[in-house]
Amino acid sequence: MTTETSRRSPLGRRAFLAAAGTAVAAAAAVPAVRALTGPDLPTDRPELPGLPELATTDTDGLRVAELVAASAGPGLVYNGSSPGPLLRLREGDRVRVDFTNTTDAPSSLHLHGLPLTPDVDRPLEHVMPGGSSSQEFTVTPGCAGTYWYHPHAHGDVERQLLAGLAGPVVVTGPADERPGLVEADDRLVMFTVSGREILANGVRRPGTTVRSGLTRLRLLNATAGDHLLLGCVRRDRSRPPLHLIATDAGLIERPHRVQEILLAPGERAEVLVETTEAGPLGLVRLPYSVHGPGGEAANDEETLLVLDVPEGLAPVPLPDHLAPVEELDPATAVRTRRVVFDAAPDGAFTVDGRVFDMDRVDARADLDTLEIWEVANDHAADHPFHLHSYPVQVLDRDGVPEPFRAWRDTVNVPAGSTVRLLVPFRHGGGRTVYHCHILNHEDLGMMGVLEVAG
Ligand code: C2O
Ligand code: CU
């Protein structure tokens, strides 16, 4: 995607922005149902593997997990597998994650999305071959959701991820015990990429038989740079709705009905799907263009996973309430900060016209303040904005207010558009980063340093 994305839009700037605005509104709210082409539900399919769970040891109430990055033939693995093992945590757990790098290149372990303070996350620190590091923290109450881990060694992140270094994290909490969620068949679906194929839990186009009339899909986009527009389709081409229950950084207040969901690289979403009508139900990747409306889609429609619904599953009512999401008051923001994504004519990807320099602080903020970040994308392709340590809420997209409150850590900023975020700085200051989560762009310098004082 490198060469196409550095190309400038041939359209005039105004026309381009106007056109892009329409798409943003559509993508952000409830996207229109689009016409699907012929049925694409493969019949002989491998089983969707459950990812192995990472065993932890318990010492005096501290749960210790160990992850080792290693070479395996041409690839890279965490604890011998790719995707890496599932790290399952519970809100309130005291945890230490020990990481050892036995590969031959500097690497690191970033727990993407977990609200860790900058001194625990340390995204600028590399772990040399043979070296190790530890992160100790308490899992923040209220953050139950789907997260992941991957390397963060600047300049080499995309290569290491594509070689196999990525694994899932699931945090559970009291909200998961609500009626509607307890009965649901809870499935983690982690998308990675191999060559040009999108894999689900490491397998191409798997299937699985669901066990409840309500299926909870924890969708995790762990590709290096592929936007995934996802929807469900039955064999007769009818489209059951998806009930969005969680964004990146946890549960939302109540299910929000959509037909499709766009997951930018790095982003997660959880949906409930009613699975009472017997037969195959495809989770499909729909065509999506990162070049705005009228742009050429990077992909054709493709089934990524088939849910086989057996006869006789009783319906399960949807939960009516999930979890409170704090209301932030934009009037209390201490400043509005503009962050501009762009690409330079020489092919560099920039933030505010500059490429990343780890010794330069690009943004200074104060702990216990709220800021509005106006993230503008002046480029002709989408770029997903990701901020470490501080979960954000979307205020509006090109002026269109966000239809529901939600915590996020990765937010797609479509070509030519502006997304305003509410950014509260809490729990601890320090030096951290914000960047585009298309890893090739991040490696090429589309990243800035944030220092939170206090
Ligand atoms: Cu998922 Cu700074 O990264
Ligand atoms: Cu980018």
Side-chain angles (χ1 to χ4, degrees):
M1 115 178 283
T2 14
T3 45
E4 296 134 31
T5 49
S6 48
R7 231 189 281 138
R8 282 278 176 179
S9 166
L11 295 175
R13 172 106 189 119
R14 294 250 323 247
F16 176 67
L17 285 176
T22 333
V24 177
V30 184
V33 182
R34 53 197 75 202
L36 291 163
T37 50
D40 174 36
L41 301 177
T43 44
D44 68 338
R45 33 195 182 244
E47 180 62 25
L48 174 75
L51 296 173
E53 225 168 279
L54 179 58
T56 58
T57 56
D58 200 307
T59 340
D60 296 328
L62 180 69
R63 288 184 64 193
V64 179
E66 207 181 314
L67 282 166
V68 179
S71 304
L76 296 171
V77 288
Y78 283 119
N79 294 11
S81 73
S82 176
L86 166 63
L87 175 58
R88 190 181 284 281
L89 302 173
R90 188 149 177 101
E91 288 178 14
D93 277 357
R94 282 211 308 126
V95 185
R96 195 180 77 219
V97 180
D98 293 337
F99 169 67
T100 304
N101 177 16
T102 69
T103 74
D104 52 17
S107 189
S108 67
L109 183 80
H110 168 53
L111 297 164
H112 178 126
L114 284 182
L116 309 183
T117 53
D119 61 314
V120 175
D121 180 38
R122 307 190 304 276
L124 297 170
E125 198 174 283
H126 293 184
V127 178
M128 292 301 143
S132 53
S133 70
S134 286
Q135 297 172 72
E136 192 174 322
F137 55 92
T138 298
V139 182
T140 312
C143 82
T146 307
Y147 303 87
W148 62 302
Y149 57 88
H150 64 77
H152 217 281
H154 180 62
D156 200 28
V157 179
E158 184 190 43
R159 182 192 70 84
Q160 293 185 20
L161 185 104
L162 290 176
L165 292 185
V169 180
V170 166
V171 178
T172 54
D176 292 298
E177 271 111 61
R178 284 184 185 282
L181 293 183
V182 249
E183 299 92 336
D185 185 358
D186 188 338
R187 301 298 188 101
L188 171 73
V189 187
M190 174 172 174
F191 297 109
T192 55
V193 68
S194 165
R196 293 183 62 85
E197 309 285 0
I198 303 288
L199 308 181
N201 295 358
V203 171
R204 180 162 184 263
R205 310 180 90 189
T208 187
T209 303
V210 300
R211 297 174 289 238
S212 167
L214 198 58
T215 301
R216 175 180 186 169
L217 298 174
R218 298 172 178 266
L219 305 168
L220 156 55
N221 185 345
T223 67
D226 297 288
H227 283 72
L228 301 176
L229 180 65
L230 303 170
C232 274
V233 59
R234 297 193 188 91
R235 210 189 272 293
D236 65 3
R237 312 307 299 162
S238 61
R239 303 278 312 273
L242 309 173
H243 304 277
L244 181 71
I245 55 166
T247 49
D248 280 314
L251 293 160
I252 57 177
E253 294 189 304
R254 59 192 64 83
H256 181 77
R257 185 187 158 116
V258 292
Q259 282 304 132
E260 318 174 330
I261 184 135
L262 178 64
L263 277 194
E267 195 176 358
R268 292 88 58 212
E270 296 179 26
V271 295
L272 294 174
V273 185
E274 281 140 321
T275 39
T276 46
E277 196 179 306
L281 182 61
L283 178 67
V284 296
R285 180 187 187 194
L286 302 161
Y288 179 75
S289 168
V290 293
H291 301 289
E296 204 192 320
N299 62 292
D300 296 326
E301 183 192 322
E302 186 199 2
T303 303
L304 300 179
L305 166 70
V306 178
L307 302 175
D308 286 302
V309 183
E311 300 282 346
L313 291 180
V316 175
L318 288 170
D320 50 8
H321 186 79
L322 298 163
V325 177
E326 183 189 349
E327 185 171 357
L328 302 168
D329 180 4
T332 62
V334 297
R335 68 155 70 78
T336 296
R337 188 188 296 278
R338 196 170 160 82
V339 173
V340 181
F341 278 165
D342 206 350
D346 66 357
F349 291 94
T350 60
V351 180
D352 298 328
R354 303 186 288 203
V355 296
F356 175 65
D357 176 350
M358 67 175 287
D359 297 317
R360 183 188 66 222
V361 174
D362 299 285
R364 288 180 198 278
D366 293 304
L367 196 61
D368 298 320
T369 63
L370 174 71
E371 293 193 359
I372 294 173
W373 283 35
E374 192 173 284
V375 186
N377 180 353
D378 278 358
H379 189 230
D382 295 14
H383 295 276
F385 172 87
H386 172 54
L387 171 63
H388 285 224
S389 290
Y390 307 104
V392 306
Q393 292 184 12
V394 174
L395 180 58
D396 52 33
R397 306 184 194 236
D398 275 346
V400 179
E402 191 71 345
F404 55 91
R405 275 203 295 278
W407 290 111
R408 302 176 187 266
D409 58 67
T410 307
V411 178
N412 191 48
V413 188
S417 74
T418 298
V419 176
R420 289 200 306 155
L421 307 171
L422 292 163
V423 191
F425 298 105
R426 290 177 182 162
H427 304 305
R431 206 174 261 210
T432 190
V433 293
Y434 51 99
H435 58 87
C436 171
H437 217 285
I438 292 174
L439 299 177
N440 170 53
H441 300 177
E442 176 193 348
D443 281 337
L444 290 172
M446 204 170 202
M447 175 151 69
V449 173
L450 163 71
E451 189 164 281
V452 179

